[in-house]
PDB file of all heavy atoms in Angstrom:
ATOM      1  N   VAL W 176     -64.823  24.089  22.321  1.00  0.00           N
ATOM      2  CA  VAL W 176     -64.171  25.335  22.733  1.00  0.00           C
ATOM      3  C   VAL W 176     -64.356  26.442  21.703  1.00  0.00           C
ATOM      4  O   VAL W 176     -64.174  27.624  22.004  1.00  0.00           O
ATOM      5  CB  VAL W 176     -62.661  25.114  23.006  1.00  0.00           C
ATOM      6  CG1 VAL W 176     -62.463  24.161  24.170  1.00  0.00           C
ATOM      7  CG2 VAL W 176     -61.939  24.605  21.754  1.00  0.00           C
ATOM      8  N   GLY W 177     -64.755  26.088  20.479  1.00  0.00           N
ATOM      9  CA  GLY W 177     -65.007  27.096  19.465  1.00  0.00           C
ATOM     10  C   GLY W 177     -66.182  27.997  19.800  1.00  0.00           C
ATOM     11  O   GLY W 177     -66.305  29.101  19.254  1.00  0.00           O
ATOM     12  N   TYR W 178     -67.065  27.529  20.710  1.00  0.00           N
ATOM     13  CA  TYR W 178     -68.223  28.320  21.125  1.00  0.00           C
ATOM     14  C   TYR W 178     -68.004  29.034  22.457  1.00  0.00           C
ATOM     15  O   TYR W 178     -68.883  29.743  22.923  1.00  0.00           O
ATOM     16  CB  TYR W 178     -69.451  27.407  21.251  1.00  0.00           C
ATOM     17  CG  TYR W 178     -69.849  26.743  19.953  1.00  0.00           C
ATOM     18  CD1 TYR W 178     -69.451  25.430  19.675  1.00  0.00           C
ATOM     19  CD2 TYR W 178     -70.612  27.418  19.010  1.00  0.00           C
ATOM     20  CE1 TYR W 178     -69.813  24.817  18.484  1.00  0.00           C
ATOM     21  CE2 TYR W 178     -70.987  26.805  17.809  1.00  0.00           C
ATOM     22  CZ  TYR W 178     -70.581  25.505  17.561  1.00  0.00           C
ATOM     23  OH  TYR W 178     -70.933  24.898  16.378  1.00  0.00           O
ATOM     24  N   MET W 179     -66.850  28.833  23.070  1.00  0.00           N
ATOM     25  CA  MET W 179     -66.599  29.366  24.397  1.00  0.00           C
ATOM     26  C   MET W 179     -65.933  30.729  24.344  1.00  0.00           C
ATOM     27  O   MET W 179     -65.264  31.066  23.351  1.00  0.00           O
ATOM     28  CB  MET W 179     -65.695  28.401  25.192  1.00  0.00           C
ATOM     29  CG  MET W 179     -66.288  27.029  25.420  1.00  0.00           C
ATOM     30  SD  MET W 179     -65.156  25.985  26.371  1.00  0.00           S
ATOM     31  CE  MET W 179     -66.032  24.415  26.307  1.00  0.00           C
ATOM     32  N   PRO W 180     -66.070  31.518  25.411  1.00  0.00           N
ATOM     33  CA  PRO W 180     -65.291  32.753  25.523  1.00  0.00           C
ATOM     34  C   PRO W 180     -63.800  32.441  25.494  1.00  0.00           C
ATOM     35  O   PRO W 180     -63.372  31.339  25.852  1.00  0.00           O
ATOM     36  CB  PRO W 180     -65.721  33.324  26.881  1.00  0.00           C
ATOM     37  CG  PRO W 180     -67.026  32.674  27.188  1.00  0.00           C
ATOM     38  CD  PRO W 180     -66.983  31.313  26.556  1.00  0.00           C
ATOM     39  N   ALA W 181     -63.004  33.405  25.112  1.00  0.00           N
ATOM     40  CA  ALA W 181     -61.566  33.186  24.945  1.00  0.00           C
ATOM     41  C   ALA W 181     -60.912  32.712  26.232  1.00  0.00           C
ATOM     42  O   ALA W 181     -60.034  31.844  26.212  1.00  0.00           O
ATOM     43  CB  ALA W 181     -60.897  34.468  24.445  1.00  0.00           C
ATOM     44  N   TRP W 182     -61.344  33.256  27.380  1.00  0.00           N
ATOM     45  CA  TRP W 182     -60.680  32.893  28.634  1.00  0.00           C
ATOM     46  C   TRP W 182     -60.957  31.440  29.000  1.00  0.00           C
ATOM     47  O   TRP W 182     -60.086  30.734  29.512  1.00  0.00           O
ATOM     48  CB  TRP W 182     -61.090  33.835  29.759  1.00  0.00           C
ATOM     49  CG  TRP W 182     -62.495  33.632  30.276  1.00  0.00           C
ATOM     50  CD1 TRP W 182     -63.630  34.236  29.841  1.00  0.00           C
ATOM     51  CD2 TRP W 182     -62.880  32.743  31.336  1.00  0.00           C
ATOM     52  NE1 TRP W 182     -64.722  33.788  30.553  1.00  0.00           N
ATOM     53  CE2 TRP W 182     -64.295  32.881  31.478  1.00  0.00           C
ATOM     54  CE3 TRP W 182     -62.191  31.862  32.166  1.00  0.00           C
ATOM     55  CZ2 TRP W 182     -65.014  32.160  32.425  1.00  0.00           C
ATOM     56  CZ3 TRP W 182     -62.914  31.145  33.110  1.00  0.00           C
ATOM     57  CH2 TRP W 182     -64.310  31.296  33.236  1.00  0.00           C
ATOM     58  N   GLN W 183     -62.188  30.951  28.716  1.00  0.00           N
ATOM     59  CA  GLN W 183     -62.507  29.554  28.992  1.00  0.00           C
ATOM     60  C   GLN W 183     -61.742  28.627  28.052  1.00  0.00           C
ATOM     61  O   GLN W 183     -61.227  27.587  28.476  1.00  0.00           O
ATOM     62  CB  GLN W 183     -64.006  29.310  28.846  1.00  0.00           C
ATOM     63  CG  GLN W 183     -64.852  29.941  29.935  1.00  0.00           C
ATOM     64  CD  GLN W 183     -66.312  29.564  29.818  1.00  0.00           C
ATOM     65  OE1 GLN W 183     -66.770  29.089  28.773  1.00  0.00           O
ATOM     66  NE2 GLN W 183     -67.066  29.777  30.888  1.00  0.00           N
ATOM     67  N   LYS W 184     -61.661  29.009  26.800  1.00  0.00           N
ATOM     68  CA  LYS W 184     -60.900  28.223  25.832  1.00  0.00           C
ATOM     69  C   LYS W 184     -59.448  28.104  26.269  1.00  0.00           C
ATOM     70  O   LYS W 184     -58.848  27.024  26.195  1.00  0.00           O
ATOM     71  CB  LYS W 184     -60.994  28.878  24.461  1.00  0.00           C
ATOM     72  CG  LYS W 184     -60.203  28.164  23.370  1.00  0.00           C
ATOM     73  CD  LYS W 184     -60.381  28.864  22.030  1.00  0.00           C
ATOM     74  CE  LYS W 184     -59.581  28.165  20.936  1.00  0.00           C
ATOM     75  NZ  LYS W 184     -59.752  28.826  19.619  1.00  0.00           N
ATOM     76  N   GLY W 185     -58.868  29.213  26.745  1.00  0.00           N
ATOM     77  CA  GLY W 185     -57.473  29.182  27.181  1.00  0.00           C
ATOM     78  C   GLY W 185     -57.254  28.269  28.370  1.00  0.00           C
ATOM     79  O   GLY W 185     -56.250  27.556  28.444  1.00  0.00           O
ATOM     80  N   VAL W 186     -58.203  28.273  29.310  1.00  0.00           N
ATOM     81  CA  VAL W 186     -58.072  27.423  30.507  1.00  0.00           C
ATOM     82  C   VAL W 186     -58.157  25.953  30.140  1.00  0.00           C
ATOM     83  O   VAL W 186     -57.358  25.122  30.591  1.00  0.00           O
ATOM     84  CB  VAL W 186     -59.163  27.782  31.532  1.00  0.00           C
ATOM     85  CG1 VAL W 186     -59.201  26.752  32.667  1.00  0.00           C
ATOM     86  CG2 VAL W 186     -58.914  29.175  32.108  1.00  0.00           C
ATOM     87  N   ILE W 187     -59.122  25.593  29.314  1.00  0.00           N
ATOM     88  CA  ILE W 187     -59.354  24.183  28.989  1.00  0.00           C
ATOM     89  C   ILE W 187     -58.235  23.602  28.123  1.00  0.00           C
ATOM     90  O   ILE W 187     -57.822  22.453  28.299  1.00  0.00           O
ATOM     91  CB  ILE W 187     -60.715  24.023  28.299  1.00  0.00           C
ATOM     92  CG1 ILE W 187     -61.826  24.288  29.316  1.00  0.00           C
ATOM     93  CG2 ILE W 187     -60.874  22.635  27.687  1.00  0.00           C
ATOM     94  CD1 ILE W 187     -63.216  24.233  28.755  1.00  0.00           C
ATOM     95  N   LEU W 188     -57.706  24.390  27.192  1.00  0.00           N
ATOM     96  CA  LEU W 188     -56.674  23.883  26.288  1.00  0.00           C
ATOM     97  C   LEU W 188     -55.260  24.048  26.836  1.00  0.00           C
ATOM     98  O   LEU W 188     -54.305  23.573  26.226  1.00  0.00           O
ATOM     99  CB  LEU W 188     -56.782  24.572  24.929  1.00  0.00           C
ATOM    100  CG  LEU W 188     -58.071  24.327  24.151  1.00  0.00           C
ATOM    101  CD1 LEU W 188     -58.000  25.002  22.791  1.00  0.00           C
ATOM    102  CD2 LEU W 188     -58.343  22.829  23.996  1.00  0.00           C
ATOM    103  N   ALA W 189     -55.105  24.722  27.964  1.00  0.00           N
ATOM    104  CA  ALA W 189     -53.772  24.895  28.543  1.00  0.00           C
ATOM    105  C   ALA W 189     -53.198  23.544  28.956  1.00  0.00           C
ATOM    106  O   ALA W 189     -53.930  22.647  29.377  1.00  0.00           O
ATOM    107  CB  ALA W 189     -53.849  25.825  29.745  1.00  0.00           C
ATOM    108  N   PRO W 190     -51.879  23.353  28.830  1.00  0.00           N
ATOM    109  CA  PRO W 190     -51.270  22.088  29.265  1.00  0.00           C
ATOM    110  C   PRO W 190     -51.286  21.980  30.780  1.00  0.00           C
ATOM    111  O   PRO W 190     -51.527  22.957  31.489  1.00  0.00           O
ATOM    112  CB  PRO W 190     -49.838  22.191  28.727  1.00  0.00           C
ATOM    113  CG  PRO W 190     -49.578  23.657  28.645  1.00  0.00           C
ATOM    114  CD  PRO W 190     -50.882  24.289  28.271  1.00  0.00           C
ATOM    115  N   GLY W 191     -51.022  20.771  31.277  1.00  0.00           N
ATOM    116  CA  GLY W 191     -50.957  20.570  32.717  1.00  0.00           C
ATOM    117  C   GLY W 191     -51.774  19.373  33.145  1.00  0.00           C
ATOM    118  O   GLY W 191     -52.156  18.517  32.343  1.00  0.00           O
ATOM    119  N   TYR W 192     -52.059  19.343  34.438  1.00  0.00           N
ATOM    120  CA  TYR W 192     -52.795  18.245  35.074  1.00  0.00           C
ATOM    121  C   TYR W 192     -54.254  18.677  35.159  1.00  0.00           C
ATOM    122  O   TYR W 192     -54.644  19.435  36.041  1.00  0.00           O
ATOM    123  CB  TYR W 192     -52.208  17.993  36.462  1.00  0.00           C
ATOM    124  CG  TYR W 192     -52.523  16.650  37.065  1.00  0.00           C
ATOM    125  CD1 TYR W 192     -52.346  15.476  36.346  1.00  0.00           C
ATOM    126  CD2 TYR W 192     -52.968  16.550  38.379  1.00  0.00           C
ATOM    127  CE1 TYR W 192     -52.615  14.249  36.907  1.00  0.00           C
ATOM    128  CE2 TYR W 192     -53.233  15.328  38.955  1.00  0.00           C
ATOM    129  CZ  TYR W 192     -53.053  14.178  38.221  1.00  0.00           C
ATOM    130  OH  TYR W 192     -53.328  12.956  38.788  1.00  0.00           O
ATOM    131  N   LYS W 193     -55.068  18.224  34.223  1.00  0.00           N
ATOM    132  CA  LYS W 193     -56.414  18.762  34.022  1.00  0.00           C
ATOM    133  C   LYS W 193     -57.447  17.923  34.771  1.00  0.00           C
ATOM    134  O   LYS W 193     -57.506  16.704  34.641  1.00  0.00           O
ATOM    135  CB  LYS W 193     -56.750  18.802  32.533  1.00  0.00           C
ATOM    136  CG  LYS W 193     -55.626  19.400  31.680  1.00  0.00           C
ATOM    137  CD  LYS W 193     -55.988  19.491  30.232  1.00  0.00           C
ATOM    138  CE  LYS W 193     -56.919  20.651  30.008  1.00  0.00           C
ATOM    139  NZ  LYS W 193     -56.273  21.933  30.353  1.00  0.00           N
ATOM    140  N   LYS W 194     -58.304  18.620  35.532  1.00  0.00           N
ATOM    141  CA  LYS W 194     -59.346  17.936  36.304  1.00  0.00           C
ATOM    142  C   LYS W 194     -60.643  17.902  35.507  1.00  0.00           C
ATOM    143  O   LYS W 194     -61.134  18.926  35.037  1.00  0.00           O
ATOM    144  CB  LYS W 194     -59.590  18.646  37.634  1.00  0.00           C
ATOM    145  CG  LYS W 194     -60.684  18.000  38.482  1.00  0.00           C
ATOM    146  CD  LYS W 194     -60.793  18.640  39.848  1.00  0.00           C
ATOM    147  CE  LYS W 194     -61.313  20.068  39.741  1.00  0.00           C
ATOM    148  NZ  LYS W 194     -61.558  20.675  41.070  1.00  0.00           N
ATOM    149  N   VAL W 195     -61.200  16.698  35.366  1.00  0.00           N
ATOM    150  CA  VAL W 195     -62.489  16.503  34.703  1.00  0.00           C
ATOM    151  C   VAL W 195     -63.449  15.926  35.727  1.00  0.00           C
ATOM    152  O   VAL W 195     -63.161  14.894  36.342  1.00  0.00           O
ATOM    153  CB  VAL W 195     -62.367  15.544  33.499  1.00  0.00           C
ATOM    154  CG1 VAL W 195     -63.708  15.378  32.812  1.00  0.00           C
ATOM    155  CG2 VAL W 195     -61.310  16.046  32.521  1.00  0.00           C
TER     156      VAL W 195
END
Side-chain angles (χ1 to χ4, degrees):
V176 296
Y178 298 98
M179 298 180 186
W182 73 269
Q183 290 185 343
K184 178 179 179 179
V186 170
I187 290 177
L188 297 183
Y192 199 49
K193 313 183 77 63
K194 179 174 68 174
V195 181

